[in-house]
Amino acid sequence: MKTLNLDITHAQYFVEKEYESLLAKSAEALETLNNGTGAGADFLGWNTLPSSTSDELLGRIEKTAERLQENCDYVVCVGIGGSYLGAKAVISALSDNFADFYGPQPKRPKVLFAGQNIGEEYLAELQKLLKGKRFGIIVISKSGTTTEPAIAFRLLKDQLVAEAGEEKAKNLIVAVTDEKKGALRTMADQEGYETYVIPDNVGGRFSVLTPVGLLPIAVAGFDIKKLISGAADMERTTKHASPENPAQEYARLRNALYQSGKKTEILANFNPKLHYLAEWWKQLFGESEGKDGKGIFPASVDLTTDLHSMGQWIQDGERTIFETVISVKEPSITHRIPEDAANLDGINYLAGKRIDEVNKMAELGTMLAHVEGGVPNIRIELHALDEYTLGQVIYFFEKACGISGYMLGVNPFDQPGVEAYKKNMFALLEKPGYEKETAAIKSKLK
Ligand code: PA5
């Protein structure tokens, strides 16, 4: 098994004492997680999800994906937060960087996303693109009541019914939601859409390995069995407490760094395909740990791109940060820098080298410079960018997040803070049932 490699050499010595002292606490947090005895224990379904995902479910998802692939050139995934970022992260990591410019291929629909914002232009322009095209919709919402996807779904469903007719539209819409409750469940049952259930005990940001992520990923043409197999191997690797358990090590080190005043973690990648993996990671850790006045702030940069914009700050700004680099060992393509007789650009010293060799030296040079500048550096090496490795890294981060949250002393599985903006928005929009809040908020605005 080619496993993900965690290298903490260039971070551990910054906090040797704190790191040592947290071994027992990290083991205890892992035990609490495994035994289901901590806060939020009703939401631990993700912990054993890879090993318990049945072939039957995967087969059914693949069949649905085939139906959408055969009948659609575009499939729009409607969802936000945990109902969006996991699929987006995996599809971006596995796709050609310029896939969008190639257009749909036979039985390979373009997977688009909506309901992850409330952009008027975004929705109007998406609908313009879809006009007259063969498209389908995967609508995803655990609660089934989230406003952003509800607006997008209403618009897209109306368009699909108007263009394809009611009967055909039903066959082109799949809903992923709660088994029993929520407006989306009611609508799906009434309209007769095919549905998939998001297990009760799996929270949104931990749901990428349920149909929430698996169906869009399968529609995009990627192997969900390999994804699950990578995650299942990581589930085994990280199950038992040990100083070598990589999820426990990462959680322990993050907490040691946090205690020593490193309040921001920057996830850095050296591959543009990993941009959305960082977005998914930010939600996972931000929503899980940022509560009760505590929590590392999860930030991200794309390198080397952002070295030319954020490099100065990272090297020399306030020393409250540490960096976690995701590095891909083997690019899937070999591409070399050509020789140039005139050498006017002065880069003939690189001629014949793989572009990745230059990238890896940029990575090493950056690490040495940042460490020298007082930024601890954690390195996570993925063997390659494929389904198996992505399954591994997804589960690795989920497990580390659960352990880390318990070590921090928060409930990593709730998100009470997310409700605050919604309450204000509903009050401002005068949603029925919010009359008291509407009056209160309007009085504040006078
Ligand atoms: O992780 C979470 O719980 C949230 O970010 C949700 O995923 C997000 O708010 C979307 O919720 P829902 O799937 O209920 O529409």
Side-chain angles (χ1 to χ4, degrees):
M1 170 175 96
K2 283 175 179 153
T3 190
L4 158 162
N5 187 31
L6 174 75
D7 181 358
I8 60 170
T9 336
H10 299 283
Q12 191 183 336
Y13 64 79
F14 280 84
V15 282
E16 203 65 72
K17 252 184 34 223
E18 292 91 337
Y19 183 70
E20 247 347 284
S21 72
L22 286 175
L23 176 60
K25 194 170 183 183
S26 64
E28 203 181 293
L30 176 56
E31 293 303 330
T32 305
L33 195 66
N34 286 340
N35 298 334
T37 48
D42 288 351
F43 289 95
L44 287 174
W46 60 270
N47 194 22
T48 49
L49 195 63
S51 60
S52 60
T53 301
S54 68
D55 286 344
E56 193 193 337
L57 175 66
L58 294 175
R60 196 188 139 209
I61 291 174
E62 285 173 341
K63 272 221 165 66
T64 306
E66 266 167 44
R67 185 177 85 237
L68 292 173
Q69 286 169 335
E70 270 157 23
N71 292 289
C72 305
D73 292 322
Y74 296 86
V75 172
V76 188
C77 296
V78 176
I80 193 166
S83 295
Y84 153 62
L85 283 166
K88 177 77 180 168
V90 173
I91 293 171
S92 297
L94 295 174
S95 296
D96 186 294
N97 279 294
F98 300 96
D100 287 352
F101 298 95
Y102 287 111
Q105 310 292 306
K107 297 197 181 166
R108 276 286 168 103
K110 293 262 90 144
V111 175
L112 306 174
F113 293 88
Q116 82 282 33
N117 59 49
I118 326 180
E120 186 158 341
E121 287 104 338
Y122 188 96
L123 286 164
E125 288 163 9
L126 173 63
Q127 290 199 267
K128 187 171 129 201
L129 171 77
L130 295 172
K131 199 166 182 339
K133 307 267 178 30
R134 297 187 324 143
F135 77 95
I137 307 170
I138 302 173
V139 53
I140 307 167
S141 176
K142 178 154 197 237
S143 62
T145 54
T146 308
T147 312
E148 291 90 335
I151 294 171
F153 183 54
R154 180 181 283 201
L155 288 163
L156 292 166
K157 179 190 64 158
D158 282 1
Q159 182 174 0
L160 189 57
V161 169
E163 291 182 13
E166 202 148 337
E167 273 319 297
K168 220 168 153 206
K170 276 184 193 171
N171 211 32
L172 296 172
I173 296 174
V174 182
V176 184
T177 190
D178 187 84
E179 190 179 7
K180 296 193 186 96
K181 50 183 194 304
L184 182 57
R185 166 54 60 191
T186 311
M187 204 188 314
D189 288 347
Q190 250 171 48
E191 299 285 347
Y193 304 146
E194 184 183 10
T195 62
Y196 283 89
V197 169
I198 309 173
D200 262 353
N201 60 359
V202 180
R205 58 190 172 276
F206 287 86
S207 68
V208 51
L209 300 174
T210 73
V212 168
L214 297 177
L215 180 58
I217 293 165
V219 169
F222 300 114
D223 190 333
I224 53 173
K225 288 186 175 137
K226 285 193 183 141
L227 188 80
I228 292 291
S229 131
D233 281 347
M234 189 50 73
E235 183 186 324
R236 278 187 285 277
T237 305
T238 58
K239 189 164 183 167
H240 300 294
S242 122
E244 281 83 47
N245 176 330
Q248 186 186 335
E249 251 186 307
Y250 176 54
R252 180 179 158 201
L253 186 54
R254 293 177 84 249
N255 275 271
L257 289 162
Y258 182 63
Q259 284 180 11
S260 77
K262 304 291 186 193
K263 307 283 186 191
T264 299
E265 177 176 11
I266 302 179
L267 192 74
N269 71 72
F270 281 80
N271 186 326
K273 294 190 185 199
L274 291 175
H275 175 85
Y276 278 97
L277 188 70
E279 296 302 307
W280 169 83
W281 170 90
K282 284 195 278 192
Q283 184 197 359
L284 182 68
F285 279 89
E287 221 170 60
S288 300
E289 292 191 320
K291 50 196 72 158
D292 308 334
K294 300 191 243 185
I296 295 172
F297 182 78
S300 66
V301 287
D302 297 324
L303 304 182
T304 60
T305 312
D306 294 339
L307 287 176
H308 299 262
S309 56
M310 295 300 292
Q312 172 61 37
W313 200 102
I314 297 171
Q315 184 67 46
D316 216 12
E318 197 181 359
R319 301 298 72 190
T320 50
I321 55 171
F322 65 100
E323 202 166 33
T324 299
V325 172
I326 304 192
S327 181
V328 181
K329 189 169 181 199
E330 287 290 339
S332 58
I333 296 173
T334 303
H335 208 47
R336 292 183 191 278
I337 298 164
E339 180 89 38
D340 184 274
N343 194 27
L344 294 177
D345 50 18
I347 60 164
N348 261 358
Y349 74 103
L350 299 176
K353 284 196 197 300
R354 284 185 71 172
I355 292 173
D356 192 58
E357 206 180 322
V358 180
N359 201 25
K360 291 286 190 305
M361 288 308 110
E363 185 193 317
L364 184 57
T366 305
M367 187 274 282
L368 294 170
H370 287 180
V371 167
E372 183 85 15
V375 182
N377 182 288
I378 301 173
R379 186 169 187 263
I380 296 169
E381 185 183 67
L382 310 184
H383 190 79
L385 263 192
D386 56 24
E387 289 92 333
Y388 177 82
T389 318
L390 285 166
Q392 282 194 329
V393 73
I394 284 169
Y395 187 86
F396 163 79
F397 277 135
E398 289 181 348
K399 191 68 169 244
C401 183
I403 302 171
S404 187
Y406 278 159
M407 291 182 74
L408 188 66
V410 299
N411 174 357
F413 308 113
D414 65 0
Q415 53 286 325
V418 181
E419 293 311 308
Y421 98 90
K422 290 188 196 167
K423 207 178 100 201
N424 284 349
M425 178 176 81
F426 293 149
L428 290 164
L429 288 167
E430 302 184 19
K431 183 175 174 170
Y434 281 76
E435 292 74 11
K436 243 175 64 199
E437 287 84 351
T438 300
I441 206 161
K442 288 204 167 163
S443 74
K444 278 193 217 159
L445 293 174
K446 272 184 193 146

